[in-house]
Amino acid sequence: MPLKGFKYPDGTVVSLESVRARKVDIDKMGMALPTLLYMSEQRENDRPPSTTELISGTCQAYLQRTEDYYTDPQENAFSLAGTIHHNKLEDSASSGMIAELPLEYEGITGIVDLYDKESKTLIDYKNTGSYKASKILGLQYTEKEHPTEVYKRRTRGRPVGSPKIIKVFYRDPATADFGDWGWQINFYRMTLEKNNYPVENMYVQMTIRDGGVHAAVSRGIDKNIYLVEVPYINDTILINKFLDKKRALVSSLENKTVPTVCTSEETWDGRKCKSYCPVREVCPYTEDNNE
């Protein structure tokens, strides 16, 4: 079950078996065979729940394990880039550092990107867009007059020759929104501690995939890499959340019942359901499947 194959740009499909047998039109797909083969790799269906799986949404996790679906490999491009990014950083870990450390707590698995034994530091690597990065940083702005530049024509109701209005960005920790990353990294932190790896510092290192372009600059993102401290979440809250999520997924799998719809946080207020969820076409809760 799960991932059955890939979609060509014209909507037709090719099975994983055909891809592995080299019976795929790479010109039509617009993607090299090794890339498709890498994207074809899947984990066993009877595996324990993972941390990332549980924060993705119970319904999504259930459907990815139980329903046949095809995916557009173009949608996996950033995921692939992120994996390569992780692998390169893993190779650079020095003495006293543990890269890609597999852990488990209460039947929930996770892989910590980097643990520094000397500084007792956890670092999670993310390859992300400027929109998510701006939320993590809690970027806000005020408008000020430019000290030297002026409008050459009437703009925004301001006369010719008047100082240009510019955005001046600043970080406001009170508005920082770590979303699912906060849950994930804190659960890794707690799992490390439960496995006798003390943690005194938690960071997420973000590599901005659209860094330097106008969209990123307009959001206040002026660097390509950010190292950001992750706020602490109480262990009791983490345990209650993740064990509840685990029980819900395991129960649905055992009883073969579709879970309730994912939460607004898990679906990014519905945006994920419309364009990003890999199983949106087989989800009973999407608008197109409810008609």
Side-chain angles (χ1 to χ4, degrees):
M1 283 192 174
L3 180 61
K4 191 72 174 177
F6 299 112
K7 297 177 185 177
Y8 285 109
D10 64 2
T12 58
V13 298
V14 59
S15 68
L16 294 186
E17 290 77 11
S18 294
V19 171
R20 291 164 184 158
R22 303 176 67 96
K23 297 178 180 179
V24 55
D25 188 337
I26 61 171
D27 288 328
K28 181 179 177 181
M29 187 67 76
M31 201 167 292
L33 181 61
T35 304
L36 295 171
L37 290 172
Y38 184 87
M39 292 180 179
S40 299
E41 296 178 5
Q42 296 188 81
R43 293 173 293 172
E44 295 297 325
N45 258 359
D46 59 353
R47 66 188 182 277
S50 70
T51 306
T52 52
E53 186 176 32
L54 294 180
I55 62 174
S56 69
T58 307
C59 186
Q60 177 186 336
Y62 173 84
L63 294 174
Q64 286 187 274
R65 288 193 184 219
T66 61
E67 293 292 324
D68 291 343
Y69 67 97
Y70 291 84
T71 186
D72 180 351
Q74 293 290 341
E75 296 180 2
N76 297 331
F78 291 134
S79 176
L80 175 61
T83 300
I84 295 171
H85 173 247
H86 275 70
N87 291 342
K88 291 295 185 181
L89 292 173
E90 176 187 353
D91 293 341
S92 301
S94 62
S95 176
M97 299 179 180
I98 306 175
E100 295 292 297
L101 175 61
L103 293 171
E104 182 174 332
Y105 174 72
E106 293 290 336
I108 301 173
T109 62
I111 299 179
V112 173
D113 289 342
L114 185 71
Y115 176 71
D116 187 331
K117 293 187 289 185
E118 293 183 6
S119 64
K120 300 179 179 60
T121 298
L122 157 66
I123 296 179
D124 195 72
Y125 299 126
K126 300 294 186 185
N127 194 26
T128 190
S130 58
Y131 175 77
K132 176 83 171 182
S134 66
K135 294 181 68 176
I136 295 293
L137 294 168
L139 287 175
Q140 305 295 322
Y141 69 87
T142 58
E143 292 188 337
K144 294 185 178 180
E145 293 184 346
H146 196 283
T148 58
E149 295 184 7
V150 298
Y151 289 112
K152 296 181 179 180
R153 55 185 173 185
R154 188 175 180 84
T155 305
R156 298 172 62 183
R158 295 177 64 84
V160 174
S162 62
K164 281 187 176 180
I165 299 299
I166 58 172
K167 292 180 179 179
V168 178
F169 288 91
Y170 64 94
R171 291 176 63 174
D172 180 3
T175 64
D177 181 6
F178 283 76
D180 52 357
W181 290 2
W183 291 110
Q184 177 192 17
I185 296 169
N186 267 276
F187 194 79
Y188 286 165
R189 184 266 310 157
M190 186 187 74
T191 304
L192 278 166
E193 293 173 337
K194 298 290 186 183
N195 284 273
N196 299 314
Y197 294 97
V199 178
E200 295 183 1
N201 309 286
M202 280 185 295
Y203 295 97
V204 57
Q205 179 173 296
M206 304 185 294
T207 298
I208 315 302
R209 56 177 174 250
D210 58 340
V213 305
H214 175 73
V217 175
S218 69
R219 296 179 175 126
I221 299 297
D222 57 3
K223 298 178 183 177
N224 293 328
I225 295 179
Y226 288 87
L227 184 66
V228 186
E229 188 170 5
V230 179
Y232 180 90
I233 298 177
N234 180 273
D235 286 359
T236 301
I237 296 174
L238 291 168
I239 291 170
N240 289 339
K241 179 182 179 69
F242 279 90
L243 291 190
D244 283 350
K245 298 273 287 181
K246 175 195 168 187
R247 283 190 288 267
L249 177 58
V250 170
S251 175
S252 291
L253 291 170
E254 290 177 346
N255 296 308
K256 299 181 179 180
T257 56
V258 179
T260 56
V261 65
C262 299
T263 66
S264 59
E265 178 185 25
E266 293 163 346
T267 64
W268 315 335
D269 294 323
R271 290 183 294 110
K272 187 177 184 181
C273 300
K274 293 181 178 179
S275 305
Y276 302 102
C277 180
V279 287
R280 60 187 181 274
E281 293 186 359
V282 295
C283 178
Y285 300 112
T286 59
E287 291 183 6
D288 290 344
N289 297 334
N290 271 322
E291 293 179 352

